[in-house]
Amino acid sequence: MELELKSKEDLQRMRRAGQIVAEVLQRLQQEAKPGVTTLELDRIAEDMTRKRGAVPAFKGYRVGNRVFPASLCVSINEEIVHGIPSSRVLREGDIVGLDFGVVVDGYYGDARSRCRSVT
């Protein structure tokens, strides 16, 4: 197996992808409040992503004949991972897991964040 070395420009593109993910997740943590739907969080994530010149990595992801319909994965309480955003409303005390990724300039950024409880 050959090791592929990344150029300085490649590393900058990778860093940019990671920074976009971090910014979006930070904003989503602020927005995850009682009364907000997971679909609203998804809309915020996609809007922020596209304004930064990136594309949501999960939206349109295909496994067999199934396609992931959203930009964000939202898991609430006992759900483990990869919950699909919907009209579900966040409630006081919910534990919310956010999984988000982008593609920018051919590079992926992806991270998971957990809000301890919605207040």
Side-chain angles (χ1 to χ4, degrees):
M1 183 168 92
E2 229 177 282
L3 185 64
E4 181 183 339
L5 298 178
K6 300 294 183 190
S7 70
K8 193 175 206 175
E9 292 80 19
D10 290 333
L11 294 175
Q12 288 173 338
R13 289 181 188 110
M14 292 167 73
R15 185 175 297 113
R16 181 164 179 244
Q19 286 173 333
I20 292 169
V21 170
E23 289 172 8
V24 170
L25 285 174
Q26 189 170 49
R27 168 81 183 278
L28 293 176
Q29 287 178 338
Q30 295 169 353
E31 298 292 334
K33 299 176 183 173
V36 173
T37 68
T38 58
L39 202 54
E40 289 175 87
L41 295 177
D42 183 69
R43 182 193 50 76
I44 292 167
E46 184 165 353
D47 288 349
M48 287 183 70
T49 299
R50 294 196 186 278
K51 284 179 182 172
R52 287 162 175 71
V55 175
F58 305 161
K59 191 168 189 172
Y61 181 77
R62 182 178 296 277
V63 176
N65 64 350
R66 301 178 86 184
V67 178
F68 193 78
S71 301
L72 176 69
C73 297
V74 183
S75 306
I76 301 172
N77 299 327
E78 71 282 347
E79 297 170 347
I80 298 177
V81 291
H82 303 145
I84 298 173
S86 68
S87 59
R88 185 172 179 182
V89 176
L90 298 180
R91 297 181 318 213
E92 181 83 30
D94 280 343
I95 298 171
V96 180
L98 305 168
D99 193 354
F100 182 67
V102 302
V103 181
V104 62
D105 297 328
Y107 287 93
Y108 282 77
D110 185 346
R112 181 162 168 78
S113 174
R114 179 175 288 204
C115 305
R116 282 279 178 211
S117 66
V118 176
T119 58

